[in-house]
Amino acid sequence: MSAVGGTPAEPVVNIHNEWDPLEEIIVGRLEGLLIPAWEPDMLGCMYEEYFDFYRTRGGEEWPAAEIQAAQRELDELISILEGEGVTVRRPDLREYGGQLRTPHWSVPNELGVANPRDSLLVIGKDIIETPMAWRSRYFETFAYRPLIKEYYARGANWVAAPKPELRDGLYKESFTAAGPGEPPRFVLNELEPVFDAADAIKCGRDIFMGLSSTCNEAGIEWLQRYLDATHPDTYRVHRLVFNDPHAMHIDATFYPLAPGKLLVHPERVTSIPSLFKDWDVLRTPDPCVPDSYPLYFSSKWMNANVLMLDASRVIVAAGEVNTIKAFKDWGLEVIECPFWNFNNFGGSFHCATLDIRRRGSLENYF
Ligand code: DAV
């Protein structure tokens, strides 16, 4: 298809990696976010100190002061992005308080859309609605449907992975997190494909997925077979296993930031895939976030969950002085944005956003 004048139309959705120059991005919302009620996947990816919190406080509003502090940081992120010329789009405002019921289960409320990185996987011009393992996220993509429909009308592909049933049998009932020295294990069985988009990280023709308590073997296989069927001989999906007792998502663990630059968690990643033999590997420096931040959904390693504006500019949480220094020493230009309050609600800059268009083309980096 050609635009008027015969020049090729620019793809409206175009993502091949984490670092091509960023042109358009979706930023999540904190409005309407509710505490999710306990559900079986949490046994695998949440931290034990919060189990009772979800069991007893599900459906309540988050502490208002914590949300307000996070909102200020999100607003600052948006103004940094817009100041850099990036188009920022937002999901719909919705209420998340109603019970959600399917033939097999119900939850008292939904989670909300603070973390757009999880429900939609963008590869090339494909927008894939992912089969997520959390019941409270079952209809999360609906808040993005007006945007998706617009992108679809403008030439993007739009597909949804098979909607998982999420029956009780998908989750190991008596799961406990692996102790020190024990091999990694995850809460999911293999009854059907499940994964979150943040279980995958893109590096041109190579896509890396970490098995986790939100991503099973069947999920990885589904993505490889979908890509093989729709883009023959184009993508290689690599299955990785990390040493993370609460494994959920790859983007604070294993993150190709730019050609030749791989950021890895110092303990979770015990061996680097041989493909990266010619790359510089940086082990994420110790996080600086004070223990007073509750981090309801994640580890404190959100200092690794950065966002690349292009191959040399990276947005990092203000206060993460170890990471900021290491990135500068690595030749990156660092843009600081306060984000520790937002981190409490599921992640940092990578989680809070979803790349829609970066200027670049599909390449082989190995
Ligand atoms: O602690 O690595 C990462 C969640 C990011 N989406 C963690 C959880």
Side-chain angles (χ1 to χ4, degrees):
M1 195 168 32
S2 292
V4 179
T7 46
E10 287 294 314
V12 59
V13 172
N14 187 60
I15 295 297
H16 301 292
N17 54 47
E18 306 292 334
W19 61 79
D20 279 340
L22 183 62
E23 295 185 342
E24 182 159 337
I25 196 163
I26 298 175
V27 174
R29 278 192 187 277
L30 289 159
E31 297 99 324
L33 202 69
L34 292 173
I35 299 173
W38 178 259
E39 56 172 297
D41 197 71
M42 288 179 169
L43 204 50
C45 41
M46 292 297 93
Y47 285 75
E48 289 75 0
E49 73 225 62
Y50 283 117
F51 283 11
D52 278 343
F53 176 82
Y54 292 113
R55 285 188 169 117
T56 57
R57 305 228 358 227
E60 290 180 29
E61 290 185 6
W62 292 98
E66 292 177 22
I67 290 283
Q68 281 156 16
Q71 183 66 56
R72 283 193 291 275
E73 296 176 346
L74 198 61
D75 292 343
E76 183 155 347
L77 174 65
I78 291 169
S79 64
I80 288 173
L81 290 166
E82 289 180 338
E84 296 294 338
V86 177
T87 301
V88 172
R89 311 296 301 271
R90 312 294 304 281
D92 268 7
L93 270 177
R94 267 191 54 201
E95 296 286 326
Y96 293 100
Q99 190 201 54
L100 192 156
R101 171 176 288 282
T102 77
H104 306 300
W105 48 264
S106 67
V107 287
N109 59 286
E110 297 176 71
L111 176 68
V113 288
N115 296 284
R117 188 65 61 177
D118 304 336
S119 64
L120 299 167
L121 179 60
V122 181
I123 296 178
K125 62 174 186 168
D126 290 17
I127 302 173
I128 304 168
E129 299 191 19
T130 57
M132 300 211 283
W134 280 36
R135 293 170 173 172
S136 56
R137 309 189 76 174
Y138 207 63
F139 291 116
E140 197 167 307
T141 59
F142 282 17
Y144 302 92
R145 284 281 175 91
L147 287 172
I148 297 172
K149 288 175 186 171
E150 176 200 316
Y151 294 137
Y152 177 66
R154 294 166 63 197
N157 295 331
W158 174 21
V159 69
K163 202 80 183 144
E165 293 175 82
L166 306 183
R167 293 181 190 227
D168 291 346
L170 179 63
Y171 313 92
K172 292 170 192 154
E173 211 176 329
S174 51
F175 180 86
T176 53
E182 286 187 310
R185 55 179 185 245
F186 313 103
V187 77
L188 292 167
N189 289 317
E190 294 291 338
L191 293 188
E192 57 189 347
V194 286
F195 64 93
D196 285 1
D199 286 300
I201 204 122
K202 286 152 268 182
C203 192
R205 291 181 183 273
D206 292 277
I207 295 169
F208 297 89
M209 291 183 84
L211 273 184
S212 78
S213 281
T214 46
C215 175
N216 61 9
E217 304 268 7
I220 297 175
E221 182 181 344
W222 183 86
L223 185 65
Q224 177 74 72
R225 287 174 59 177
Y226 165 76
L227 292 172
D228 284 348
T230 52
H231 311 266
D233 303 319
T234 304
Y235 292 102
R236 296 172 289 250
V237 178
H238 303 267
R239 165 195 175 283
L240 302 179
V241 185
F242 304 115
N243 217 346
D244 178 359
H246 302 93
M248 177 188 197
H249 306 162
I250 196 168
D251 54 352
T253 300
F254 187 93
Y255 192 164
L257 293 185
K261 284 188 165 63
L262 176 67
L263 181 69
V264 299
H265 190 286
E267 291 135 29
R268 296 175 185 168
V269 179
T270 49
S271 70
I272 308 289
S274 58
L275 271 182
F276 290 90
K277 63 183 183 330
D278 298 325
W279 286 46
D280 283 341
V281 177
L282 179 68
R283 299 192 173 273
T284 307
D286 282 341
C288 297
V289 59
D291 289 341
S292 54
Y293 286 82
L295 293 166
Y296 296 107
F297 294 99
S298 75
S299 70
K300 59 184 182 168
W301 291 87
M302 294 303 101
N303 54 321
N305 191 252
V306 295
L307 180 70
M308 302 303 289
L309 283 181
D310 55 38
S312 58
R313 292 182 304 157
V314 56
I315 303 182
V316 184
E320 291 292 350
V321 292
N322 300 335
T323 311
I324 291 166
K325 178 173 187 319
F327 281 174
K328 286 183 177 167
D329 291 347
W330 217 15
L332 295 174
E333 185 184 324
V334 173
I335 297 164
E336 295 180 42
C337 175
F339 224 56
W340 282 342
N341 292 289
F342 186 93
N343 290 177
N344 292 332
F345 298 104
S348 198
F349 306 107
H350 198 256
C351 298
T353 57
L354 176 69
D355 310 4
I356 290 296
R357 191 173 63 260
R358 289 179 181 267
R359 200 168 58 252
S361 51
L362 182 63
E363 289 187 34
N364 188 355
Y365 294 97
F366 300 102

